[in-house]
Amino acid sequence: ATTVVMFEIIAEGAMNAETPQQVMFKKFLQRLGYSTVSTVAIMEYELEAFERLDTVKRSIEETGADYGQVSSNAGEFRRYVIRAMEEKLGYTKEEASYFLKSAVEKYETLSPADFAQRCVDYTKKSGNRLVFIIDEIGQYVVSVRSSDDRILALQGVAEMLSSKGNGAVWLIVTS
């Protein structure tokens, strides 16, 4: 089986400071069913990596809140998750807050190598190939003054996916 992540990068990342790997990871997480709010999605991803997400979801729903609505706002999500981690998982408020902050920091400092490793980990765990199809890459690289930075960043992502992916992760772009 193949998981396809397809998007137009201009619509997703050209007008902000996100790196190519951050935009790709955000779209990957959305494809897997995580929140469309990138900071919430990365917190959900980290919670799931530590097998905490199901407990947190149940706890939020037990309060009568709608998980989908809570996960559409980073502040609300953080508030509910911290409470759930305290009450259901034995974290202190500080530990829970640090856990979530650490997850977001991982996203903010995501390197091409870290991104590629997360993609490879997914392919190994799921048994699926992973294909990124990115439209309008040419517009993306020239949409800022320092377009050389974007070209080099994209090259770094492509090289990491190639070297770590062993054919299980593909990158297809259109200009």
Side-chain angles (χ1 to χ4, degrees):
T2 302
T3 300
V4 177
V5 180
M6 183 168 52
F7 61 96
E8 182 181 316
I9 197 160
I10 285 293
E12 296 298 331
M15 299 308 153
N16 58 40
E18 286 182 313
T19 63
Q21 64 269 18
Q22 286 172 319
V23 175
M24 292 171 72
F25 191 55
K26 172 177 68 175
K27 296 308 291 180
F28 172 59
L29 293 178
Q30 288 174 11
R31 173 66 178 80
L32 295 181
Y34 294 105
S35 176
T36 57
V37 178
S38 56
T39 53
V40 172
I42 195 67
M43 288 185 273
E44 288 176 316
Y45 177 83
E46 195 77 359
L47 286 163
E48 188 159 60
F50 284 86
E51 300 178 351
R52 308 281 193 257
L53 186 58
D54 288 339
T55 302
V56 165
K57 280 183 177 180
R58 275 193 309 277
S59 177
I60 290 171
E61 289 166 355
E62 286 170 5
T63 68
D66 176 61
Y67 183 82
Q69 185 176 13
V70 169
S71 66
S72 70
N73 180 290
E76 273 300 281
F77 183 77
R78 184 182 299 268
R79 186 171 73 84
Y80 274 94
V81 171
I82 288 172
R83 183 179 304 142
M85 291 176 79
E86 283 181 280
E87 293 174 2
K88 305 288 185 185
L89 297 168
Y91 283 72
T92 66
K93 186 174 185 172
E94 293 76 25
E95 289 169 338
S97 181
Y98 184 76
F99 180 96
L100 298 177
K101 182 181 176 190
S102 174
V104 172
E105 286 173 356
K106 284 183 188 179
Y107 176 75
E108 291 171 350
T109 60
L110 186 67
S111 71
D114 292 339
F115 168 67
Q117 189 59 55
R118 288 176 185 220
C119 292
V120 169
D121 291 346
Y122 168 78
T123 63
K124 288 179 180 172
K125 183 178 177 182
S126 69
N128 290 353
R129 281 201 168 99
L130 180 58
V131 178
F132 288 91
I133 302 174
I134 306 173
D135 193 20
E136 299 294 351
I137 208 78
Q139 296 262 336
Y140 173 73
V141 296
V142 297
S143 64
V144 293
R145 281 183 212 184
S146 57
S147 61
D148 286 351
D149 292 347
R150 284 197 168 163
I151 292 168
L152 291 172
L154 281 165
Q155 181 180 358
V157 169
E159 288 174 359
M160 286 292 112
L161 289 174
S162 174
S163 68
K164 290 180 178 280
N166 294 321
V169 183
W170 287 51
L171 175 60
I172 301 168
V173 298
T174 69
S175 62

